[in-house]
Amino acid sequence: MKAAIIGGGVIGGGWAARFLLNGWDVAVADPDPQAERKIAAVLDNARRALPALYDRALPHEGRLTFHADLATAVAGADWVQESVPEVLEVKHRILPMIAAAAGPQAIIGSSTSGFKPSELNAAGTHAIVAHPFNPVYLLPLVELVGDTDTCARAADILRSIGMYPLTVRHEIDAHIADRLLEAVWREALWLVKDGIATTAEVDEAIRMGFGIRWAQMGLFETYRIAGGEAGMAHFMAQFGPALSWPWTKLMDVPEFNDELVDLIASQSDAQSGHLSIRELERLRDDNVVAMIRALRRTGSGAGGVVTAHEAALPDAGEGDGLPITAMRQVPVSWTDYNGHMNETHYLETASLATDRFMQMIGVDADYIASGRSYFTVESHIRHLDEVHAGDRLTVTTQVMAGAGKRLHLFNRLWRDDTLTATVETMLLHTDLSTRRTSDPDPAVAAHLSGWVDRHAGMPAPEGAGRSVGLGR
């Protein structure tokens, strides 16, 4: 699959990273002589952050190319994303050029944050709005506006690269999310202009309070809870009258003059001017990754999107005749004060591999819900080489034994062609209702027996069976 990105700024670069890191070839067209350097900086951040959301490896990167000619970039593309400046005259000049060069299969999306499809397509083009949020490579939301069938096709593609398409029912200026953001932005400008709060204090009010609630529940579910056991109807009855009180200035805009710009800019510089933009981006990315990973535990919000996308990623196949049971990139949070991966996460990686092998023999969520599983009773780890943030780990699993209640596995952790660790594990099948060992279901036993036979002719791994329990 190929995506063409027209305009390589912050948003265009984010789109390029999102597609590229999901295995698409990406062609970029941008007359800016600094486009390659700017996109390289975005890609550095994306390669560090996006894989950290996942417990499985994303597809191998596609091929990135840069083109001076728009038509060459667009040729053969399945998706064309226009991310030129937010000036309607510029879009009216670029979109017909894209339409003329694109094939009939191509979806043409515009990153516009405010214009409607009817405005974009005044020159007879057929683009849809595909409005993302920065950083595009991490935040899943994309607002889709336009032709129903095209938006449906677009939604399928966006889900396949781990995004959350939200189709807007009727076209409207600024779509949905930016209209909400605009309301908060206007009120924040008044609070700063009137001396009620500084830029830092406004940001603290958001990130220390309702911003966290919004990240996992949004607006209406948050207020439903605020209504207590009586729910939303009670909340509306209790707080509805406040809508007529003069609390906000949403219909007013402070005069946008040099004085206001200097006030906001000076406070913003005092707030975070000690950090470069790249440092702020990485701080933002690390925080977004941590919050989305936390949301994965409950399947809420953006966490549910990542979990669904991960489940759709293809299996990794085999390596050296053994099943590849885990592939993932090492996140920054796994490294310690020595600069390499902490010993805890070697075991965690092997645990992911063991869980995957259990699924392969039928010990999946339904089996566990029925009251049966395997419990780890002993593990033996050998640390053979350092692993650093950003390294891609691949785990192969060899079945050493699997008869009756016992399951004996040997996991190898590889960084490219280098063996970095081995984790040998003994597990016993257990009845969850009695917490005692038991024989597995016949179907599970049959699957396991097949793997035992398949691996029976392989030599015993070096270092296997050195711990007391595993040597018996």
Side-chain angles (χ1 to χ4, degrees):
M1 302 289 281
K2 175 185 174 181
I5 309 300
I6 311 303
V10 172
I11 298 300
W15 273 113
R18 172 67 80 162
F19 278 109
L20 193 71
L21 269 61
N22 276 279
W24 285 52
D25 291 336
V26 174
V28 177
D30 191 318
D32 181 0
Q34 297 294 313
E36 290 193 42
R37 179 190 63 79
K38 292 176 180 177
I39 287 184
V42 174
L43 278 172
D44 283 345
N45 285 347
R47 291 183 178 117
R48 176 178 181 271
L50 180 61
L53 287 175
Y54 293 82
D55 293 329
R56 294 174 60 188
L58 292 170
H60 289 287
E61 284 189 24
R63 178 169 170 262
L64 176 63
T65 56
F66 292 87
H67 304 270
D69 177 54
L70 180 149
T72 303
V74 169
D78 301 281
W79 185 292
V80 183
Q81 188 69 23
E82 170 270 300
S83 298
V84 302
E86 193 76 344
V87 178
L88 194 56
E89 291 77 10
V90 175
K91 294 183 183 294
H92 281 169
R93 177 169 58 85
I94 296 297
L95 285 171
M97 296 170 61
I98 293 174
Q105 83 288 349
I107 291 174
I108 302 174
S110 173
S111 297
T112 179
S113 59
F115 295 125
K116 304 186 290 289
S118 58
E119 296 170 316
L120 295 174
N121 295 318
T125 51
H126 52 277
I128 62 170
V129 169
H131 174 231
F133 290 80
N134 188 39
V136 183
Y137 54 79
L138 279 184
L139 297 182
L141 180 62
V142 184
E143 294 177 309
L144 297 178
V145 196
D147 175 74
T148 301
D149 291 340
T150 306
C151 285
R153 288 175 53 218
D156 289 340
I157 290 175
L158 292 169
R159 277 188 286 266
S160 76
I161 60 171
M163 304 190 83
Y164 183 85
L166 178 64
T167 302
V168 181
R169 295 171 181 270
H170 305 285
E171 67 169 39
I172 185 173
D173 292 326
H175 326 312
I176 296 174
D178 273 358
R179 294 180 72 90
L180 298 173
L181 289 173
E182 177 71 11
V184 176
W185 173 241
R186 289 184 184 219
E187 190 62 30
L189 289 178
W190 277 115
L191 290 170
V192 175
K193 182 181 185 299
D194 292 344
I196 306 300
T198 65
T199 58
E201 289 163 352
V202 170
D203 285 351
E204 298 292 14
I206 295 171
R207 65 187 180 190
M208 297 296 179
F210 62 85
I212 297 174
R213 297 188 307 193
W214 283 5
Q216 46 91 36
M217 278 197 166
L219 179 65
F220 285 100
E221 277 194 352
T222 295
Y223 283 160
R224 178 181 179 85
I225 291 175
E229 293 182 358
M232 180 60 86
H234 176 68
F235 173 82
M236 294 291 289
Q238 185 175 8
F239 293 101
L243 296 174
S244 62
W245 298 348
W247 278 6
T248 69
K249 296 184 178 182
L250 291 183
M251 301 309 294
D252 257 344
V253 183
E255 183 181 353
F256 199 80
N257 53 28
D258 290 343
E259 182 182 1
L260 178 61
V261 171
D262 290 344
L263 176 64
I264 299 295
S266 63
Q267 289 190 11
S268 180
D269 288 343
Q271 177 183 352
S272 52
H274 62 290
L275 297 172
S276 71
I277 292 300
R278 293 292 169 249
E279 288 172 326
L280 282 172
E281 286 175 342
R282 291 204 164 192
L283 176 63
R284 172 204 65 193
D285 289 358
D286 288 348
N287 290 335
V288 170
V289 167
M291 285 189 284
I292 293 180
R293 286 200 66 89
L295 292 171
R296 288 194 63 182
R297 297 180 66 87
T298 59
S300 302
V305 176
V306 173
T307 299
H309 181 224
E310 182 172 276
L313 294 174
D315 288 333
E318 292 190 351
D320 297 327
L322 297 171
I324 295 175
T325 47
M327 287 183 69
R328 68 159 303 155
Q329 182 169 313
V330 177
V332 174
S333 59
W334 278 19
T335 57
D336 61 16
Y337 44 82
N338 293 317
H340 56 234
M341 188 168 81
N342 182 275
E343 61 189 12
T344 304
H345 300 296
Y346 287 88
L347 186 59
E348 181 174 350
T349 303
S351 176
L352 292 171
T354 297
D355 284 348
R356 175 59 186 148
F357 182 78
M358 286 167 54
Q359 294 169 6
M360 291 167 61
I361 61 173
V363 184
D364 53 16
D366 290 339
Y367 188 84
I368 294 170
S370 73
R372 295 161 295 174
S373 185
Y374 280 95
F375 281 12
T376 302
V377 294
E378 188 170 349
S379 294
H380 176 217
I381 305 177
R382 289 192 306 152
H383 300 278
L384 304 174
D385 202 356
E386 291 186 5
V387 176
H388 301 94
D391 286 346
R392 189 182 180 104
L393 286 179
T394 299
V395 185
T396 58
T397 299
Q398 182 174 348
V399 182
M400 306 295 293
K405 306 171 185 178
R406 191 175 68 153
L407 173 58
H408 181 182
L409 301 177
F410 193 88
N411 294 306
R412 295 174 175 86
L413 281 63
W414 299 88
R415 184 190 66 245
D416 298 325
D417 294 327
T418 300
L419 184 62
T420 64
T422 65
V423 181
E424 191 173 2
T425 303
M426 176 73 77
L427 304 99
L428 293 176
H429 190 273
T430 302
D431 185 319
L432 298 178
S433 62
T434 63
R435 316 303 279 191
R436 294 181 178 278
T437 59
S438 63
D439 288 328
D441 179 89
V444 169
H447 281 302
L448 179 55
S449 177
W451 284 104
V452 171
D453 293 343
R454 194 177 308 181
H455 293 175
M458 293 184 174
E462 181 183 353
R466 288 184 177 177
S467 59
V468 175
L470 295 176
R472 290 200 296 263

